[in-house]
Amino acid sequence: MDVFPQNLLVAFILSLYVSGRAYRLDILQRNSEPSEGNVRLSGSESPSEGRVEIYHDGKWGTVCDDNWDIAEAQVVCRQLNFPGAKSVVIGKDYGTASGPIWLDEIACTGKEKQLVSCQFSGWGKTDCTHKEDAGVVCESKNDVTISGSTNSLDHSIGLSGDLGQIFDRGTACDFLITFQTPSGNKKDDGTEEMTETTICAHKAIIMLYPYFSASAGANNITVTVNKPCQSYFTSFIRYLYTRKTDITYSSAMCLHQLASDFGIKQLMEDIGRLFSNVLPDDASFHSQVSLYKYAVESKDLVLEENCVQYMAWNFQNLTGSPVWADLPVELLRRLLTRSDLVVADEYFLLQTLEGWITNNGGSLSSENQADLLRLIRFPMIPAEKLYELETKSLLFSAHRDLYRDSVLKAYQFNVLLYSNLTQLKLAKENDDYKPRIYTGETWSTTIVPGAKSSSSQSRNQYMNYGYRDSYGRYGGYYPSPTESPNKQLSTPLHSSLLFKNNMITWEANVLKTQNECSWRGLRCESFPAARLALRNQYQSTSGVLFRNRLLLTCQNRYVCQIQGFKGDLAYVSTNDTQVLAYPCPDDKYTYTFVVRPEYV
């Protein structure tokens, strides 16, 4: 088991020291106090129906109804000791919900014992509002018709503590776990000297964990633990009894390693999510790359995704960092496959990749170079830049056929309608025709709160009697709202040359009060709210759908959140409905609005 990188240890210690927090992971159900992963139903008079809420990090929060189906409902109902689920509930008003929206896009098989065991992208990662809280109707005991009546009694409260006492006392233990730790010294024969410590455990508990091979005939096992984690091994074994542990700055890395090595997936992933807090702390990206390598080695898919996502969102910072020249090929490949990669435009990405390949050409085969270049979405490169590739590309001559085929496909995209591309089987299910998140001036605009609006003219336009807004109201009959940060952006209807002269105008706002929302005919659920709305109409028959994005940049240093718009609105709320993917001290954001047209 490799030692966790020292720079990450320091970063994590500082993160938890500043916050003054220890994280408690409590996975056993039915405790007298709410425990990590507990669920409950709220907002209904019936105990078997209501809004689904889940307990995490000391707070109850809700679940978004995106992807919510009967499999997820079955898990919730069984976790609450109901026989099963009758139906899912979407869009029902169960009263006002408070707290964060903890889960979104959750996917269960229906066989999980706890909702937290299902797949989800991360705690608090959502673009939902409380109007989209998920609910369930569970089967009550009276709904189950069987011969005779069965009444369920649950006296499991305190079971975790009782099991902890059994471990602490060691009474009737029958399975010896010896863990060896290198002492740092050498024996006379040159082999490494090991120190040994033995824990007496109970086979009935340990046999639940396959790694320990506590079969009927076995009564001991010897394992190796690195010296820095030696002092936490007893706490780790105790967790196997109680499913509860406190995570501190000194224990986090070792408990994560132990959970990985011994196959305790839920503990590993829950601790791994905490590491997201330290990702923004290192502008050199050494920590992020090291943590990614560690996640791959430990097979922590959640931690791995958090690392890759952070580097995708902050890709331009990564390309200017000291680690860029030696970035692992597999990590670069992972980044190039993503549609949430944030770059100025696709041409910038191609130039950056060509520079990287040129610097690493000696260690890359021609086929590996070509594999990376094929991940560039040539149809998304601005048409005027395509003409320059043959003369300005660093690798055109070395990969002439690849470039010519890719440029031809890009030209076809620019001169053929999408229906023709589909008929030619050029565009169907092909990411080459899907935009990333392009922050160049063609497709984005940025609002810095506190800065003077650059669109005073547009504000005055609302007061002209001859001006009719998008809601059909004449500005002269309505008072001007309190000035909110706003900008206008003109973009083509689509990136294809077919729409080059078909310009549309967007208005971007950061709305801070209900008065500002009401003036625009909106009712905002929380503040601040970001709005990106069309100022002029376009024909829906064009087959273009806008999947726009809002980027929150923290303190002008790193992108801490990317979210979509529901209609024209995206809510930015770090204390109630939404938790940032990566923390931002003092909530000091710059708002970047990105227009992303796609063919449909």
Side-chain angles (χ1 to χ4, degrees):
M1 181 175 62
D2 291 340
V3 178
F4 201 90
Q6 185 66 27
N7 56 344
L8 295 178
L9 173 62
V10 173
F12 196 80
I13 289 175
L14 290 175
S15 173
L16 292 184
Y17 178 77
V18 170
S19 65
R21 301 181 65 180
Y23 292 82
R24 170 159 292 181
L25 296 183
D26 183 351
I27 301 171
L28 194 74
Q29 303 299 308
R30 298 285 185 178
N31 238 336
S32 56
E33 295 295 328
S35 301
E36 181 73 16
N38 280 166
V39 294
R40 68 183 184 186
L41 303 181
S42 299
S44 172
E45 294 182 359
S46 170
S48 59
E49 177 185 355
R51 177 179 57 247
V52 177
E53 298 185 357
I54 187 166
Y55 193 76
H56 170 66
D57 198 18
K59 291 183 289 187
W60 286 101
T62 62
V63 180
C64 179
D65 62 17
D66 291 350
N67 206 40
W68 188 253
D69 211 334
I70 194 66
E72 290 72 32
Q74 292 285 11
V75 175
V76 169
C77 292
R78 287 201 305 271
Q79 185 175 346
L80 291 171
N81 206 32
F82 291 106
K86 278 186 176 180
S87 62
V88 300
V89 179
I90 294 175
K92 184 171 181 177
D93 184 5
Y94 284 115
T96 303
S98 60
I101 300 174
W102 277 133
L103 300 180
D104 190 5
E105 297 288 352
I106 190 165
C108 303
T109 65
K111 298 180 181 180
E112 294 86 353
K113 295 182 179 179
Q114 299 175 316
L115 189 63
V116 74
S117 299
C118 300
Q119 295 295 317
F120 61 97
S121 58
W123 293 103
K125 293 184 178 180
T126 181
D127 58 359
C128 296
T129 69
H130 278 306
K131 286 184 178 180
E132 300 165 275
D133 288 340
V136 297
V137 178
C138 299
E139 294 177 347
S140 67
K141 300 295 189 297
N142 294 331
D143 295 327
V144 182
T145 57
I146 58 175
S147 58
S149 177
T150 301
N151 297 286
S152 178
L153 297 177
D154 186 351
H155 296 158
S156 63
I157 294 175
L159 178 60
S160 176
D162 292 342
L163 290 172
Q165 290 183 19
I166 290 175
F167 173 77
D168 295 338
R169 292 169 182 165
T171 304
C173 61
D174 55 358
F175 191 81
L176 297 179
I177 303 174
T178 300
F179 60 98
Q180 299 178 333
T181 304
S183 67
N185 300 321
K186 298 289 185 179
K187 296 180 180 179
D188 294 339
D189 60 3
T191 59
E192 193 162 27
E193 184 181 75
M194 308 290 283
T195 61
E196 293 187 351
T197 304
T198 299
I199 295 174
C200 189
H202 298 81
K203 186 182 296 186
I205 299 293
I206 299 303
M207 68 188 307
L208 296 172
Y209 306 96
Y211 179 91
F212 293 94
S213 303
S215 59
N219 56 16
N220 66 83
I221 188 174
T222 299
V223 298
T224 301
V225 177
N226 274 345
K227 189 172 184 179
C229 296
Q230 176 183 2
S231 59
Y232 302 107
F233 192 74
T234 300
S235 297
F236 173 71
I237 298 299
R238 194 179 195 276
Y239 165 84
L240 303 183
Y241 282 68
T242 64
R243 304 291 180 90
K244 296 168 62 175
T245 188
D246 291 335
I247 305 298
T248 66
Y249 59 80
S250 58
S251 67
M253 276 70 72
C254 282
L255 288 176
H256 185 276
Q257 284 187 320
L258 291 168
S260 171
D261 290 346
F262 292 94
I264 315 300
K265 182 179 179 181
Q266 187 172 352
L267 177 63
M268 176 186 72
E269 291 185 350
D270 280 347
I271 298 175
R273 289 185 178 100
L274 301 179
F275 290 135
S276 295
N277 294 333
V278 305
L279 289 174
D281 294 341
D282 185 3
S284 74
F285 283 86
H286 284 293
S287 296
Q288 293 88 337
V289 174
S290 296
L291 190 53
Y292 165 79
K293 293 177 180 178
Y294 169 73
V296 172
E297 179 184 342
S298 62
K299 299 180 181 180
D300 186 338
L301 299 180
V302 173
L303 177 58
E304 183 180 336
E305 168 60 19
N306 279 339
C307 293
V308 176
Q309 177 181 266
Y310 181 84
M311 286 183 273
W313 290 5
N314 294 277
F315 185 76
Q316 290 181 236
N317 289 345
L318 173 64
T319 61
S321 72
V323 304
W324 171 248
D326 300 315
L327 200 72
V329 175
E330 183 53 38
L331 174 55
L332 180 56
R333 184 178 289 110
R334 288 279 305 274
L335 292 168
L336 293 173
T337 62
R338 298 180 69 103
S339 290
D340 64 346
L341 192 70
V342 178
V343 288
D345 56 37
E346 197 73 17
Y347 186 62
F348 164 84
L349 183 59
L350 174 60
Q351 289 181 308
T352 303
L353 176 60
E354 287 182 336
W356 186 91
I357 291 175
T358 301
N359 290 333
N360 291 272
S363 59
L364 284 177
S365 68
S366 178
E367 185 56 37
N368 285 336
Q369 294 179 27
D371 287 342
L372 292 174
L373 289 168
R374 290 188 187 100
L375 297 175
I376 295 295
R377 301 178 182 184
F378 281 86
M380 294 293 105
I381 294 177
E384 62 273 14
K385 298 295 184 182
L386 292 172
Y387 296 102
E388 303 176 0
L389 287 182
E390 187 165 0
T391 57
K392 293 188 177 181
S393 169
L394 298 175
L395 299 174
F396 190 95
S397 59
H399 299 277
R400 187 177 300 273
D401 290 342
L402 185 153
Y403 274 82
R404 284 182 171 173
D405 290 345
S406 300
V407 170
L408 174 60
K409 183 165 64 174
Y411 284 151
Q412 290 173 323
F413 170 80
N414 277 282
V415 298
L416 295 177
L417 291 172
Y418 187 69
S419 57
N420 300 121
L421 293 173
T422 303
Q423 291 173 5
L424 293 172
K425 298 181 180 181
L426 294 173
K428 193 175 182 180
E429 302 298 327
N430 193 330
D431 286 343
D432 286 351
Y433 298 92
K434 297 177 182 178
R436 304 185 201 266
I437 300 178
Y438 300 128
T439 56
E441 61 181 11
T442 301
W443 298 107
S444 76
T445 188
T446 298
I447 290 178
V448 181
K452 185 177 180 180
S453 173
S454 63
S455 186
S456 58
Q457 180 181 358
S458 66
R459 181 182 176 226
N460 291 335
Q461 284 179 324
Y462 286 109
M463 299 303 295
N464 294 336
Y465 285 87
Y467 171 75
R468 185 190 294 268
D469 69 10
S470 60
Y471 300 98
R473 305 174 307 190
Y474 283 99
Y477 297 109
Y478 291 83
S480 174
T482 303
E483 183 173 1
S484 60
N486 68 91
K487 280 191 176 181
Q488 288 192 12
L489 172 67
S490 292
T491 70
L493 177 61
H494 193 270
S495 58
S496 169
L497 273 180
L498 293 174
F499 302 100
K500 181 178 181 180
N501 297 320
N502 193 348
M503 302 297 290
I504 54 177
T505 302
W506 302 83
E507 181 179 296
N509 308 95
V510 177
L511 307 173
K512 298 174 289 185
T513 66
Q514 192 59 252
N515 181 47
E516 293 173 357
C517 293
S518 299
W519 191 89
R520 293 170 173 84
L522 305 171
R523 180 165 183 80
C524 300
E525 296 188 7
S526 63
F527 302 97
R531 174 175 175 263
L532 182 60
L534 275 170
R535 291 290 305 276
N536 59 342
Q537 299 299 317
Y538 67 96
Q539 292 184 354
S540 58
T541 55
S542 61
V544 175
L545 177 67
F546 293 99
R547 304 185 191 277
N548 300 334
R549 294 291 183 265
L550 174 69
L551 280 61
L552 300 182
T553 302
C554 180
Q555 300 175 343
N556 292 318
R557 295 193 298 118
Y558 59 91
V559 176
C560 61
Q561 180 77 355
I562 295 179
Q563 60 193 83
F565 288 83
K566 291 292 182 76
D568 295 338
L569 291 173
Y571 294 104
V572 181
S573 178
T574 59
N575 296 320
D576 296 322
T577 61
Q578 185 166 295
V579 178
L580 296 179
Y582 309 101
C584 181
D586 303 322
D587 299 340
K588 293 181 179 178
Y589 312 124
T590 297
Y591 299 79
T592 300
F593 299 77
V594 180
V595 176
R596 299 176 69 247
E598 292 185 32
Y599 278 135
V600 292

